[in-house]
PDB file of all heavy atoms in Angstrom:
ATOM      1  N   GLN M   3      36.727  97.990   0.911  1.00 93.00           N
ATOM      2  CA  GLN M   3      37.643  97.005   1.565  1.00 93.00           C
ATOM      3  C   GLN M   3      36.965  96.428   2.813  1.00 93.00           C
ATOM      4  O   GLN M   3      36.739  97.231   3.761  1.00 93.00           O
ATOM      5  CB  GLN M   3      38.906  97.790   1.989  1.00 93.00           C
ATOM      6  CG  GLN M   3      39.859  96.886   2.869  1.00 93.00           C
ATOM      7  CD  GLN M   3      40.427  95.594   2.108  1.00 93.00           C
ATOM      8  OE1 GLN M   3      40.741  95.690   0.934  1.00 93.00           O
ATOM      9  NE2 GLN M   3      40.412  94.474   2.775  1.00 93.00           N
ATOM     10  N   PRO M   4      36.534  95.188   2.771  1.00 95.00           N
ATOM     11  CA  PRO M   4      35.870  94.630   3.844  1.00 95.00           C
ATOM     12  C   PRO M   4      36.774  94.662   5.155  1.00 95.00           C
ATOM     13  O   PRO M   4      37.939  94.559   5.016  1.00 95.00           O
ATOM     14  CB  PRO M   4      35.625  93.104   3.439  1.00 95.00           C
ATOM     15  CG  PRO M   4      35.685  93.148   1.921  1.00 95.00           C
ATOM     16  CD  PRO M   4      36.680  94.244   1.579  1.00 95.00           C
ATOM     17  N   PRO M   5      36.130  94.990   6.258  1.00 95.00           N
ATOM     18  CA  PRO M   5      36.942  95.142   7.503  1.00 95.00           C
ATOM     19  C   PRO M   5      37.332  93.727   8.129  1.00 95.00           C
ATOM     20  O   PRO M   5      36.491  92.950   8.553  1.00 95.00           O
ATOM     21  CB  PRO M   5      35.984  95.861   8.445  1.00 95.00           C
ATOM     22  CG  PRO M   5      34.582  95.476   7.959  1.00 95.00           C
ATOM     23  CD  PRO M   5      34.716  95.268   6.459  1.00 95.00           C
ATOM     24  N   PHE M   6      38.613  93.464   8.090  1.00 96.00           N
ATOM     25  CA  PHE M   6      39.207  92.266   8.682  1.00 96.00           C
ATOM     26  C   PHE M   6      40.701  92.421   8.738  1.00 96.00           C
ATOM     27  O   PHE M   6      41.355  93.263   8.138  1.00 96.00           O
ATOM     28  CB  PHE M   6      38.870  90.966   7.913  1.00 96.00           C
ATOM     29  CG  PHE M   6      39.572  90.847   6.593  1.00 96.00           C
ATOM     30  CD1 PHE M   6      40.690  90.172   6.441  1.00 96.00           C
ATOM     31  CD2 PHE M   6      39.051  91.437   5.473  1.00 96.00           C
ATOM     32  CE1 PHE M   6      41.441  90.095   5.217  1.00 96.00           C
ATOM     33  CE2 PHE M   6      39.672  91.423   4.246  1.00 96.00           C
ATOM     34  CZ  PHE M   6      40.839  90.671   4.135  1.00 96.00           C
ATOM     35  N   ASN M   7      41.288  91.663   9.630  1.00 95.00           N
ATOM     36  CA  ASN M   7      42.782  91.653   9.780  1.00 95.00           C
ATOM     37  C   ASN M   7      43.298  90.235   9.678  1.00 95.00           C
ATOM     38  O   ASN M   7      42.645  89.282  10.163  1.00 95.00           O
ATOM     39  CB  ASN M   7      43.222  92.253  11.070  1.00 95.00           C
ATOM     40  CG  ASN M   7      42.809  93.701  11.203  1.00 95.00           C
ATOM     41  OD1 ASN M   7      43.219  94.588  10.447  1.00 95.00           O
ATOM     42  ND2 ASN M   7      41.897  94.084  12.160  1.00 95.00           N
ATOM     43  N   ILE M   8      44.459  90.045   9.098  1.00 96.00           N
ATOM     44  CA  ILE M   8      45.062  88.701   9.059  1.00 96.00           C
ATOM     45  C   ILE M   8      45.629  88.423  10.457  1.00 96.00           C
ATOM     46  O   ILE M   8      46.499  89.249  10.973  1.00 96.00           O
ATOM     47  CB  ILE M   8      46.184  88.631   7.970  1.00 96.00           C
ATOM     48  CG1 ILE M   8      45.605  88.957   6.623  1.00 96.00           C
ATOM     49  CG2 ILE M   8      46.828  87.221   7.958  1.00 96.00           C
ATOM     50  CD1 ILE M   8      44.551  88.081   6.129  1.00 96.00           C
ATOM     51  N   THR M   9      45.198  87.335  11.081  1.00 96.00           N
ATOM     52  CA  THR M   9      45.715  87.006  12.435  1.00 96.00           C
ATOM     53  C   THR M   9      46.678  85.875  12.383  1.00 96.00           C
ATOM     54  O   THR M   9      46.658  85.061  11.390  1.00 96.00           O
ATOM     55  CB  THR M   9      44.549  86.627  13.353  1.00 96.00           C
ATOM     56  OG1 THR M   9      43.962  85.459  12.810  1.00 96.00           O
ATOM     57  CG2 THR M   9      43.522  87.709  13.330  1.00 96.00           C
ATOM     58  N   PRO M  10      47.538  85.619  13.400  1.00 97.00           N
ATOM     59  CA  PRO M  10      48.370  84.476  13.408  1.00 97.00           C
ATOM     60  C   PRO M  10      47.619  83.128  13.285  1.00 97.00           C
ATOM     61  O   PRO M  10      48.077  82.210  12.722  1.00 97.00           O
ATOM     62  CB  PRO M  10      49.050  84.580  14.784  1.00 97.00           C
ATOM     63  CG  PRO M  10      49.088  86.061  15.076  1.00 97.00           C
ATOM     64  CD  PRO M  10      47.716  86.564  14.501  1.00 97.00           C
ATOM     65  N   GLU M  11      46.428  83.138  13.913  1.00 96.00           N
ATOM     66  CA  GLU M  11      45.628  81.862  13.820  1.00 96.00           C
ATOM     67  C   GLU M  11      45.183  81.612  12.410  1.00 96.00           C
ATOM     68  O   GLU M  11      45.166  80.416  11.968  1.00 96.00           O
ATOM     69  CB  GLU M  11      44.363  82.052  14.711  1.00 96.00           C
ATOM     70  CG  GLU M  11      43.379  80.861  14.648  1.00 96.00           C
ATOM     71  CD  GLU M  11      43.941  79.564  15.257  1.00 96.00           C
ATOM     72  OE1 GLU M  11      45.039  79.627  15.830  1.00 96.00           O
ATOM     73  OE2 GLU M  11      43.214  78.513  15.183  1.00 96.00           O
ATOM     74  N   MET M  12      44.904  82.643  11.622  1.00 97.00           N
ATOM     75  CA  MET M  12      44.497  82.423  10.251  1.00 97.00           C
ATOM     76  C   MET M  12      45.710  81.837   9.489  1.00 97.00           C
ATOM     77  O   MET M  12      45.577  80.964   8.666  1.00 97.00           O
ATOM     78  CB  MET M  12      44.078  83.737   9.576  1.00 97.00           C
ATOM     79  CG  MET M  12      42.798  84.281  10.079  1.00 97.00           C
ATOM     80  SD  MET M  12      42.455  85.884   9.217  1.00 97.00           S
ATOM     81  CE  MET M  12      41.152  86.535  10.273  1.00 97.00           C
ATOM     82  N   LEU M  13      46.894  82.374   9.701  1.00 97.00           N
ATOM     83  CA  LEU M  13      48.092  81.955   9.010  1.00 97.00           C
ATOM     84  C   LEU M  13      48.394  80.503   9.369  1.00 97.00           C
ATOM     85  O   LEU M  13      48.810  79.683   8.491  1.00 97.00           O
ATOM     86  CB  LEU M  13      49.273  82.874   9.415  1.00 97.00           C
ATOM     87  CG  LEU M  13      49.192  84.267   8.850  1.00 97.00           C
ATOM     88  CD1 LEU M  13      50.419  85.086   9.390  1.00 97.00           C
ATOM     89  CD2 LEU M  13      49.080  84.360   7.327  1.00 97.00           C
ATOM     90  N   HIS M  14      48.168  80.141  10.631  1.00 96.00           N
ATOM     91  CA  HIS M  14      48.462  78.783  11.018  1.00 96.00           C
ATOM     92  C   HIS M  14      47.464  77.866  10.379  1.00 96.00           C
ATOM     93  O   HIS M  14      47.878  76.749   9.914  1.00 96.00           O
ATOM     94  CB  HIS M  14      48.283  78.705  12.553  1.00 96.00           C
ATOM     95  CG  HIS M  14      48.287  77.357  13.089  1.00 96.00           C
ATOM     96  ND1 HIS M  14      49.438  76.539  13.192  1.00 96.00           N
ATOM     97  CD2 HIS M  14      47.291  76.540  13.601  1.00 96.00           C
ATOM     98  CE1 HIS M  14      49.119  75.385  13.690  1.00 96.00           C
ATOM     99  NE2 HIS M  14      47.882  75.320  13.996  1.00 96.00           N
ATOM    100  N   LEU M  15      46.228  78.212  10.270  1.00 96.00           N
ATOM    101  CA  LEU M  15      45.167  77.415   9.691  1.00 96.00           C
ATOM    102  C   LEU M  15      45.469  77.253   8.134  1.00 96.00           C
ATOM    103  O   LEU M  15      45.257  76.192   7.603  1.00 96.00           O
ATOM    104  CB  LEU M  15      43.773  77.870   9.950  1.00 96.00           C
ATOM    105  CG  LEU M  15      43.311  77.821  11.405  1.00 96.00           C
ATOM    106  CD1 LEU M  15      42.131  78.732  11.696  1.00 96.00           C
ATOM    107  CD2 LEU M  15      43.007  76.394  11.754  1.00 96.00           C
ATOM    108  N   ILE M  16      45.791  78.377   7.474  1.00 96.00           N
ATOM    109  CA  ILE M  16      46.082  78.288   6.086  1.00 96.00           C
ATOM    110  C   ILE M  16      47.247  77.339   5.841  1.00 96.00           C
ATOM    111  O   ILE M  16      47.169  76.551   4.800  1.00 96.00           O
ATOM    112  CB  ILE M  16      46.449  79.715   5.562  1.00 96.00           C
ATOM    113  CG1 ILE M  16      45.195  80.597   5.504  1.00 96.00           C
ATOM    114  CG2 ILE M  16      47.102  79.645   4.188  1.00 96.00           C
ATOM    115  CD1 ILE M  16      45.510  82.032   5.138  1.00 96.00           C
TER     116      ILE M  16
END
Side-chain angles (χ1 to χ4, degrees):
Q3 173 63 41
F6 70 95
N7 298 298
I8 304 298
T9 67
E11 177 68 5
M12 291 179 197
L13 295 176
H14 173 71
L15 291 166
I16 287 172

